[in-house]
Amino acid sequence: MSFLSYLINGISLGSIYAIIALGYTMVYGIAKMLNFAHGDIIMVGGFTTFTVVSTMGGNPILGILAAVVVCTVLGVTIERVAYKPLRGASPLAVLITAIGVSYLLQNVALLIFGSNSKQFTSVVNIPALKLADGQLSISGVTIVTIISCIVIMTLLTTFINKTKMGQAMLAVSEDKGAATLMGIDVNRTIAVTFAIGSALAAIAGVLLCSAYPSLTPYTGSMPGIKAFVAAVFGGIGSIPGAMIGGIILGVIENLSKAYISSQLSDAIVFSVLIIVLLVRPTGILGKKIHEKV
């Protein structure tokens, strides 16, 4: 039963990584850039929920909605101010800018909230599910996290494949120039992509802080990096790949902590990534891109 418990908890953690990785993979797939400030938007979502819940009567729904709105606006603003002027710049310039935005968000949070850890109150009040005559207990946060990941994945896939904006995103991801000639507003499409990715980061931040109720200005840093690893693991640019990569990463990390060493779990995760990329450089569901010369 202990193995099954570790496995379920790993799937729950992996679901959080998957939701974060969806933001990475959408932005990279459409804008062809790595938004390393994405992990810090998770932190902003956590602090927004914490502030609203602790100052406005403890309403978790209001806190979640506020986090989604704040993170969405923040994501669009970052794209407009920091990334849009660099649309034609080298990838290195965009990468350095993203790292700069990440440190800016962390230091602003330090100035506002300080460096001390805040105790986050879980927004999930569902009782634990008891199985196998009470020998296996699945927490309400775990249940909500896994269900949320499946629902978000389904809705996002439907949005991309069935809506006009989703088709525009696919067109921009293939060729920005051709998409512009077809009448697609590339800047608006990229802004919508950032908005969706940032809203997902807010939800992931709330779920992460509910499962691990400690909140600091650096809360989103390591989960953001691991979610990026999950996106690469599954095949960056692939939405199903982000989900698969996130869940596999969470399971590997949790089982490593349980059966090998909690200190070595991160090293094991990155070692598995290296092995996978040596065998399949594009990731599990990534596609080889053939460039015309």
Side-chain angles (χ1 to χ4, degrees):
M1 283 300 171
S2 58
F3 171 80
L4 191 56
S5 178
Y6 294 139
L7 180 63
I8 292 171
N9 289 332
I11 293 173
S12 175
L13 177 61
S15 296
I16 295 174
Y17 290 154
I19 295 172
I20 305 169
L22 287 172
Y24 273 116
T25 205
M26 284 186 67
V27 169
Y28 181 82
I30 294 168
K32 295 296 183 289
M33 63 161 291
L34 298 174
N35 179 23
F36 277 113
H38 191 65
D40 298 287
I41 295 177
I42 299 167
M43 173 268 296
V44 172
F47 270 116
T48 301
T49 304
F50 171 80
T51 303
V52 171
V53 171
S54 59
T55 59
M56 296 186 181
N59 189 331
I61 301 299
L62 187 61
I64 295 170
L65 292 176
V68 170
V69 171
V70 169
C71 289
T72 300
V73 172
L74 178 62
V76 173
T77 302
I78 290 172
E79 191 278 329
R80 181 64 57 88
V81 174
Y83 300 145
K84 185 179 178 182
L86 299 175
R87 194 82 81 219
S90 68
L92 181 60
V94 179
L95 179 62
I96 292 172
T97 302
I99 295 172
V101 172
S102 172
Y103 280 110
L104 174 64
L105 292 176
Q106 288 180 14
N107 282 276
V108 169
L110 277 170
L111 288 173
I112 296 173
F113 299 102
S115 59
N116 293 331
S117 177
K118 302 292 188 295
Q119 186 67 26
F120 189 92
T121 302
S122 176
V123 299
V124 179
N125 295 318
I126 298 175
L129 178 64
K130 303 287 186 179
L131 299 175
D133 296 328
Q135 296 182 35
L136 178 64
S137 178
I138 305 174
S139 69
V141 174
T142 297
I143 297 169
V144 170
T145 300
I146 295 172
I147 292 175
S148 297
C149 180
I150 295 170
V151 170
I152 288 171
M153 172 70 185
T154 304
L155 291 177
L156 192 58
T157 302
T158 303
F159 173 79
I160 294 293
N161 294 326
K162 300 295 183 181
T163 66
K164 187 175 180 179
M165 178 54 70
Q167 294 299 303
M169 289 177 176
L170 291 175
V172 172
S173 69
E174 289 291 331
D175 191 320
K176 291 185 180 67
T180 302
L181 292 175
M182 294 299 293
I184 295 173
D185 188 337
V186 172
N187 288 330
R188 178 171 173 267
T189 303
I190 292 176
V192 171
T193 303
F194 269 83
I196 294 173
S198 299
L200 294 179
I203 295 171
V206 173
L207 293 172
L208 177 67
C209 292
S210 294
Y212 306 93
S214 177
L215 182 59
T216 72
Y218 306 106
T219 291
S221 298
M222 186 53 73
I225 293 173
K226 289 179 180 177
F228 172 68
V229 170
V232 175
F233 192 84
I236 194 162
S238 168
I239 291 176
M243 182 176 178
I244 293 172
I247 291 175
I248 292 176
L249 196 76
V251 170
I252 292 172
E253 179 179 341
N254 222 46
L255 293 180
S256 298
K257 287 180 179 178
Y259 293 107
I260 301 176
S261 169
S262 58
Q263 286 80 20
L264 292 176
S265 61
D266 289 346
I268 293 169
V269 165
F270 289 107
S271 298
V272 171
L273 172 70
I274 292 170
I275 293 170
V276 169
L277 292 183
L278 286 174
V279 176
R280 188 174 176 82
T282 57
I284 296 173
L285 297 183
K287 297 178 181 180
K288 290 184 178 179
I289 299 174
H290 300 284
E291 295 185 1
K292 295 181 180 179
V293 180

